[in-house]
Amino acid sequence: MAETGTPGTPGDRNRHQEHTGPAAHIDQQALDEVVTFTSDLIRMDTTNHGGGRGNERQAAEYVADRLADAGLEPTLLEKAPGRTNVVCRIPGSDPTADALLVHGHLDVVPADPAEWSVHPFSGEIRDGVVWGRGAIDMKNMDAMVLATARAWARAGVRPRQDVVLAFTADEEDSAEFGAGYLADQHAELFEGCTEGISESGAFTFHTGDGMRLYPVAAGERGTAWLRLTADGRAGHGSKVNHDNAVTRLAAAVNRIGEHRWPQRLTPTVRAALAELAALRGLEPPEFDAPGFDVDTLLARLGRESQLVEPTVRNSANPTVLDAGYKLNVIPGSATGYVDGRILPGGEDEFHATLDALTGPEVDWAFHHREVPLEAPVDGPAYAAMREALLHFDPEAHVVPYCMSGGTDAKQFSRLGIAGYGFSPLRLPEGFDYQALFHGVDERVPVDALHFGVHVLDRTLLALRGTREA
Ligand SMILES: [Zn+2]
């Protein structure tokens, strides 16, 4: 950004972008296709019921057909029948460049038609909005990627770097049949990929007082689902028993639930807080000053504090208790479950804290575990995403954030791929994106999809430059 003679003034910066930015390749056909593809994919019921029950094959074949139609060579991969993934490499013009992974899952969470205004698998397009399960999580992004790849083929353009497209099964459960399987068994398909982009970022976040933000995810907390077990002496409920498993478990669960985790600010969260503070005209936060209190800073921000609040500390919430079978019988053991989430770099502290909170009489173990992630916000990938969003929405602000939960990026991180949450959508005020995730009446405006393909095209071609084929 400092190449022009007078950086720093908005006018010069915009002119600079117009002269050197990648050419747009999104034609009317791409704008039509992104809507049709979103709607068609929603109509294919790819509900993931968990425990290995799901079927993505129809959607995978639909995607593969459209990639093949554009002259690309998609590969279909299944760990189990029906659990189909699609991987396709778009060759770049520079074989020495790193590759970029763009991934989207094809499965969706269940939807109960009785709760919805339209049938969740109708894909209905009404008043400029596409309705149905997957409209924002994340058949919209799958459609945007497809429409963009096909627009490039029509225009005869290719990116400088290889772009690997992956459409996965089973993200909404354990990823065992999807990204986990691909990373473990087909790592060769992702050779050269250093960065990945996928869901849960780059949507419009309205602060409610006129500011528009685009949070781009550059990190994820890790998943630490725990099983707690307490043992004791079984016996009659009327007798004296100080060796009661239920009492022990309940005490440990209470300590965990009441624990106040200390603030721990990761680089992504610091970058987010610094930008948000600046947007509110606050002093730059002195994170390492003695007595710095993140909650005080969050309270001085507006609604945007929601973006950061879940990721300033580890967390552990008790969710399930399981003990006993008869009111007058003291059971010999008791079990509980805790949903723990760990910040990047927070594992050791999490372990030590759980050891202390459970104490010597209650054991804890991981029931399910996924790593935390952190991706750089000072590198060229983040800069390209930011530039493309601001190009199409110049009045907005792009901020990094850390996701409180997780995505397929965790699986691909095993291949050394830094993951970003970037599924660009421009949404109107009052459109509660986060509430529609896994929610009732999930839907996406056609305008938002159009914005998304424009931003995606510009971002992918800007990464490490482009050369017309
Ligand atoms: Zn998702």
Side-chain angles (χ1 to χ4, degrees):
M1 284 304 155
E3 293 155 46
T4 52
T6 53
T9 61
D12 282 312
R13 196 171 144 202
N14 285 339
R15 266 204 302 285
H16 170 70
Q17 289 173 356
E18 274 164 34
H19 286 302
T20 61
H25 302 93
I26 298 305
D27 54 11
Q28 187 58 46
Q29 185 177 338
L31 298 179
D32 293 342
E33 284 187 353
V34 70
V35 178
T36 309
F37 294 167
T38 303
S39 171
D40 286 353
L41 286 168
I42 288 169
R43 279 205 301 282
M44 298 165 196
D45 183 349
T46 54
T47 300
N48 191 334
H49 298 281
R53 291 178 303 132
N55 193 314
E56 294 87 357
R57 184 179 284 165
Q58 188 188 10
E61 288 177 348
Y62 179 94
V63 167
D65 284 350
R66 273 141 198 84
L67 292 169
D69 184 47
L72 296 164
E73 294 174 11
T75 307
L76 295 165
L77 303 121
E78 289 183 341
K79 182 178 181 182
R83 308 310 305 271
T84 319
N85 302 271
V86 183
V87 180
C88 178
R89 185 175 285 254
I90 301 175
S93 56
D94 178 356
T96 67
D98 292 333
L100 175 79
L101 171 64
V102 181
H103 58 103
H105 59 84
L106 294 169
D107 59 328
V108 294
V109 293
D112 178 2
E115 297 175 337
W116 284 57
S117 310
V118 303
H119 194 284
F121 300 104
S122 69
E124 187 173 328
I125 304 167
R126 187 202 289 173
D127 301 328
V129 176
V130 187
W131 292 69
R133 177 57 86 221
I136 55 170
D137 181 19
M138 61 175 298
K139 288 174 169 174
N140 60 323
M141 177 66 167
D142 297 332
M144 281 154 46
V145 173
L146 266 187
T148 303
R150 289 163 58 88
W152 289 354
R154 283 193 299 279
V157 67
R158 47 178 178 155
R160 185 180 144 203
Q161 61 189 143
D162 285 7
V163 174
V164 177
L165 308 181
F167 300 86
T168 62
D170 203 28
E171 193 274 345
E172 298 290 5
D173 194 38
S174 67
E176 179 190 347
F177 300 96
Y181 158 68
L182 295 177
D184 289 341
Q185 304 292 321
H186 295 282
E188 75 285 354
L189 296 174
F190 305 95
E191 178 138 13
C193 290
T194 52
E195 282 143 345
I197 68 171
S198 191
E199 64 182 307
S200 301
F203 55 91
T204 321
F205 183 96
H206 295 271
T207 61
D209 50 7
M211 216 163 25
R212 254 191 336 275
L213 307 178
Y214 287 90
V216 171
E220 299 183 2
R221 291 203 300 175
T223 305
W225 291 346
L226 314 178
R227 185 176 57 252
L228 271 51
T229 314
D231 291 321
R233 181 165 53 81
H236 198 287
S238 71
K239 305 293 188 199
V240 174
N241 188 337
H242 298 299
D243 194 7
N244 185 323
V246 174
T247 309
R248 284 179 183 151
L249 179 76
V253 165
N254 184 58
R255 288 193 294 271
I256 293 168
E258 295 285 340
H259 182 65
R260 182 89 178 124
W261 292 84
Q263 65 186 37
R264 294 287 180 254
L265 304 180
T266 64
T268 299
V269 167
R270 287 175 184 229
L273 286 169
E275 294 219 22
L276 294 174
L279 290 174
R280 290 290 172 189
L282 304 175
E283 294 281 300
E286 291 187 46
F287 298 115
D288 296 314
F292 173 79
D293 178 31
V294 73
D295 297 310
T296 305
L297 173 57
L298 288 172
R300 296 179 70 195
L301 301 175
R303 192 192 285 168
E304 65 275 17
S305 64
Q306 295 169 14
L307 294 169
V308 185
E309 196 179 17
T311 58
V312 296
R313 39 178 64 90
N314 290 332
S315 63
N317 285 309
T319 50
V320 175
L321 293 172
D322 184 14
Y325 56 94
K326 193 165 186 304
L327 201 152
N328 62 351
V329 177
I330 298 168
S333 71
T335 306
Y337 291 86
V338 172
D339 183 343
R341 306 290 172 145
I342 307 182
L343 288 166
E347 288 100 332
D348 290 348
E349 180 185 33
F350 188 87
H351 281 235
T353 305
L354 259 292
D355 283 345
L357 291 172
T358 51
E361 295 184 321
V362 175
D363 287 329
W364 70 273
F366 287 106
H367 176 68
H368 179 73
R369 183 181 189 181
E370 300 283 358
V371 292
L373 303 181
E374 181 108 40
V377 295
D378 52 3
Y382 184 81
M385 292 184 259
R386 185 173 188 280
E387 190 279 336
L389 283 165
L390 294 178
H391 182 81
F392 292 104
D393 195 351
E395 305 294 310
H397 305 279
V398 177
V399 295
Y401 86 118
C402 177
M403 286 186 224
S404 60
T407 71
D408 272 347
K410 291 190 189 310
Q411 313 299 326
F412 290 119
S413 75
R414 294 206 293 275
L415 305 177
I417 299 172
Y420 294 93
F422 184 78
S423 293
L425 291 177
R426 182 169 57 202
L427 300 168
E429 181 121 43
F431 191 97
D432 193 346
Y433 172 83
Q434 279 158 322
L436 292 178
F437 246 82
H438 298 190
V440 170
D441 284 345
E442 185 178 344
R443 60 195 183 275
V444 66
V446 166
D447 278 355
L449 295 171
H450 289 174
F451 175 82
V453 283
H454 282 299
V455 174
L456 201 59
D457 168 63
R458 185 174 179 89
T459 306
L460 298 184
L461 294 182
L463 282 167
R464 299 181 183 83
T466 63
R467 200 188 303 162
E468 301 284 329

